[in-house]
Amino acid sequence: MNGSVSIDPERLIDTAVEAARQGGETLAEALARIPAAVYLTDTDGVVTHFNSACTELAGREPQAQQDRWCVTWRLYSEDGAHLPHDSCPMAVAIREERKVRGVHATAERPDGSRVDFVPYPTPVFDDEQRLVGAVNLLIDRSDPRYLEFLRGQVVRCRRLAASVGDARTSEILHAMAADYEEQVRLAMQVN
C-alpha cells in the first residue's frame, strides 16, 4: 500500500458501509476503490466479500462463504496472546451490535510473517435498524498514509485546543492529541 493521500479510517468505513447497504454489482467496485483491507460478513460472521488489499494484508486469499469472523490465518491480541477468531473484534461487533474501536491486533500469515493492524469492525443495519451484516476495515499500522492521518489529527487537536476559550474542552483536545501521538509512536515501533 503506497500513495500520498492519508487514510482516514472513519471515512473509509462509512464508504464501505454505504456500499454494503447498496449491495448489487457496484459492491465489488466500491470495495476495490477503498485503499485498505476491507471485508464484509453476514449476521453470523461468515465472510461474504473482500477486496484485494484484504488478501495482501492477510497473506492469503480469504475464503468467502467459509471464513468466519476474520480473514487472517491466525490472530493475536495487542499483548501477543493468541486471539481465537470467535473472540476477535469483528465477532464482538456483530454479537453486541456495536462498533469496536481502539483495538490493535497482529495477524499471522501462513508464511509466518506478521502484520500489526487496527481493525474498525462496524455493524450494518437496514432501514428498520435490523442487523444485516458487518464491515471491517483493517489498517496496517505501518502504512505511511495512516501515520500521515494520525499526525494530521494531532495538529487538528492542538489547533482546536489553542482556539477554544473553555479550559475543559482544551484539556480534552490536548488529551486526544496525546493519544494520537502515542498511536504514531507505537506505529513507528512497528516500522
Side-chain angles (χ1 to χ4, degrees), residues 3 11 47 58 91 152 191:
R11 284 190 183 169
V47 174
N191 292 329

Side-chain angles (χ1 to χ4, degrees), residues 1-61:
M1 284 185 231
N2 49 30
S4 60
V5 177
S6 72
I7 290 181
D8 180 339
E10 291 299 336
R11 284 190 183 169
L12 294 179
I13 201 69
D14 288 346
T15 299
V17 166
E18 185 56 33
R21 284 188 182 128
Q22 291 179 5
E25 295 176 12
T26 61
L27 178 57
E29 294 169 9
L31 295 180
R33 284 192 303 270
I34 294 175
V38 64
Y39 67 95
L40 282 65
T41 71
D42 63 17
T43 56
D44 293 321
V46 176
V47 174
T48 59
H49 299 83
F50 57 91
N51 65 4
S52 62
C54 211
T55 300
E56 182 181 327
L57 184 131
R60 65 183 281 272
E61 181 83 16

Side-chain angles (χ1 to χ4, degrees), residues 70-186:
C70 190
V71 295
T72 63
W73 186 55
R74 288 193 181 132
L75 193 59
Y76 299 89
S77 64
E78 192 169 8
D79 65 3
H82 178 258
L83 182 62
H85 286 168
D86 64 355
S87 298
C88 75
M90 182 63 132
V92 172
I94 292 172
R95 284 189 190 116
E96 297 180 10
E97 296 187 12
R98 66 175 179 89
K99 295 178 181 181
V100 174
R101 299 293 186 267
V103 177
H104 297 127
T106 300
E108 182 177 351
R109 298 170 171 138
D111 69 2
S113 64
R114 293 183 178 205
V115 60
D116 293 323
F117 69 96
V118 181
Y120 288 83
T122 305
V124 177
F125 299 96
D126 65 14
D127 292 338
E128 287 78 39
Q129 295 305 304
R130 290 182 301 236
L131 181 70
V132 294
V135 172
N136 200 356
L137 179 74
L138 309 174
I139 303 291
D140 179 341
R141 288 175 54 187
S142 68
D143 188 324
R145 300 169 302 169
Y146 181 58
L147 293 173
E148 183 180 327
F149 166 76
L150 293 173
R151 288 184 182 115
Q153 293 300 95
V154 170
V155 170
R156 284 183 196 93
C157 289
R158 298 271 186 230
R159 187 175 46 234
L160 285 170
S163 69
V164 297
D166 175 352
R168 178 68 181 135
T169 302
S170 180
E171 181 181 312
I172 291 168
L173 288 165
H174 279 296
M176 290 172 63
D179 182 57
Y180 283 120
E181 287 170 334
E182 177 65 8
Q183 290 180 55
V184 169
R185 187 188 69 74
L186 292 171

